[in-house]
Amino acid sequence: MEVTATAPGKIILFGEHAVVHGQPAIAVPLPAVRATAVVHPGRPGGRMMIIAANLARTIVVNAAPRRSDHALAVASRLLVEHFGVPLPNFYVLVHSTIPVASGLGSGAAATTALLRALSKALDITIDVETLNALVYEIEKLYHGTPSGIDNTVVVYEQPVYFVRGQPIETFAIGAPLHLVVADTGVASPTHVTVGDVRALFEREPQRIGAIFDRIGSISRQAREKIVQGDVAALGRLMQQNHALLRDLAVSSALLDKLVAAAESAGAYGAKLSGGGRGGNLIALTPPEATARVSEAIQAAGARRTILATLS
Ligand code: PMV
């Protein structure tokens, strides 16, 4: 018997970084890219093993924690400990079409798919809040001080208006949003930019606090514009949000160049998305301009693009 579960990628539309400091942010699932976990029964007497196909890694899940444990091993133990069941000897294949370490939620999605598949295979009913809390524990272990937005949007697989520590709110999308998601090809760990923004805030609390407030106000306006389907206004809010992220020193020359290329090719607006200094950017485009914007961003140096329509 084989049990499968999946979880989507995600993208942050507005409010990254400020969300760590209590401001609202907006994120949406990217169902076109997904992580999948397939649980097979193990050999009698064997140990639990996870094959992380994209990382070309075999992870042995030991009953006792070790410092070198992979996040997926820690997640598996967390699940069985939470439900008070013994560690099974399953053989689990985890694979994903979400680009790794580029701000599209690959880690949260792999953990979510794994925990869903394991709980199904163990006949455990796990409610969505418990699942979200467990995935957040893993995010905290491996990503410093995450706001929790990544695991929330991946686990709920719904657009979220997220404020740290508050119940999630979702919202309707008034008109389809055509997005080009572009990967700079530059790896930039989120915990580093989050740490740098925190240090900047400690040095200049007034100036940086005011930037966080303005980003929060953009997220609130953006939610209204998404509900109303006012894509042109959303594009302008993206431009403003990107400028504020630049003021937080989390953009880069390449991100600025790709954002400018998207806007010259006809996007309503574009901004970096996620941790910044590398990773991804998003451009909101009229449907007829999507291909042109995607080509322009690639010609300006992006490694690859994903087209997504949110509706
Ligand atoms: O790099 P990503 O897409 O995982 O985004 C992180 C978003 C931040 O606001 C920068 C950090 C956080 O934990 O919310």
Side-chain angles (χ1 to χ4, degrees), residues 2 21 41 55 63 80 94 125 128 132 134 137 157 176 200 203 206 218 226 264:
E2 187 183 289
H21 302 270
L55 307 174
V80 295
V94 177
T125 309
V128 70
N132 195 28
L134 296 181
E137 286 308 308
E157 198 164 351
L200 194 60
R203 275 202 306 276
Q206 279 195 328
I218 287 175
I226 293 173
S264 317

Side-chain angles (χ1 to χ4, degrees), residues 10 12 15-17 19-20 103-104 145-150 190 194 273-275:
K10 71 100 217 318
I12 296 181
E16 50 274 271
H17 286 293
V19 69
V20 176
L104 296 184
T145 54
S147 63
I149 190 168
D150 282 16
T190 296
V194 168
S273 172

Side-chain angles (χ1 to χ4, degrees), residues 26-266:
I26 293 176
V28 292
L30 272 187
V33 287
R34 305 190 76 86
T36 303
V38 187
V39 176
H40 302 266
R43 279 197 305 267
R47 282 190 294 176
M48 178 170 167
M49 294 222 283
I50 302 171
I51 312 298
N54 299 71
L55 307 174
R57 251 186 96 165
T58 302
I59 299 157
V60 176
V61 186
N62 295 297
R66 297 187 186 176
R67 208 142 28 120
S68 58
D69 274 338
H70 188 274
L72 295 177
V74 179
S76 308
R77 258 197 324 264
L78 192 63
L79 181 84
V80 295
E81 279 163 14
H82 183 87
F83 287 98
V85 299
L87 194 67
N89 67 344
F90 295 154
Y91 173 92
V92 189
L93 179 67
V94 177
H95 60 97
S96 174
T97 54
I98 308 168
V100 174
S102 60
L104 296 184
S106 63
T111 308
T112 303
L114 172 70
L115 296 188
R116 278 197 180 126
L118 284 179
S119 39
K120 269 203 238 173
L122 290 166
D123 232 350
I124 291 170
T125 309
I126 184 166
D127 62 74
V128 70
E129 272 156 47
T130 306
L131 178 61
N132 195 28
L134 296 181
V135 180
Y136 184 50
E137 286 308 308
I138 302 301
E139 292 279 294
K140 278 199 288 198
L141 280 177
Y142 291 89
H143 302 290
T145 54
S147 63
I149 190 168
D150 282 16
N151 48 283
T152 301
V153 66
V154 163
V155 168
Y156 284 82
E157 198 164 351
Q158 281 177 14
V160 296
Y161 177 84
F162 180 89
V163 181
R164 202 171 180 166
Q166 290 187 19
I168 72 151
E169 293 176 43
T170 189
F171 52 86
I173 297 179
L177 302 179
H178 301 277
L179 290 179
V180 179
V181 181
D183 183 358
T184 58
V186 177
S188 169
T190 296
H191 69 92
V192 173
T193 52
V194 168
D196 289 355
V197 169
R198 186 181 304 281
L200 194 60
F201 181 44
E202 278 162 12
R203 275 202 306 276
E204 299 179 69
Q206 279 195 328
R207 184 174 76 89
I208 301 302
I211 294 175
F212 292 156
D213 290 346
R214 286 167 66 194
I215 293 177
S217 151
I218 287 175
S219 292
R220 280 187 285 274
Q221 293 172 61
R223 176 188 179 160
E224 274 175 36
K225 301 300 174 195
I226 293 173
V227 173
Q228 292 163 4
D230 188 346
V231 282
L234 274 174
R236 288 191 294 275
L237 290 170
M238 279 186 173
Q239 293 173 3
Q240 292 165 20
N241 196 163
H242 183 75
L244 292 165
L245 288 162
R246 222 168 41 214
D247 294 344
L248 292 179
V250 293
S251 190
S252 67
L254 178 59
L255 278 164
D256 291 346
K257 182 179 170 199
L258 300 182
V259 163
E263 288 168 0
S264 317

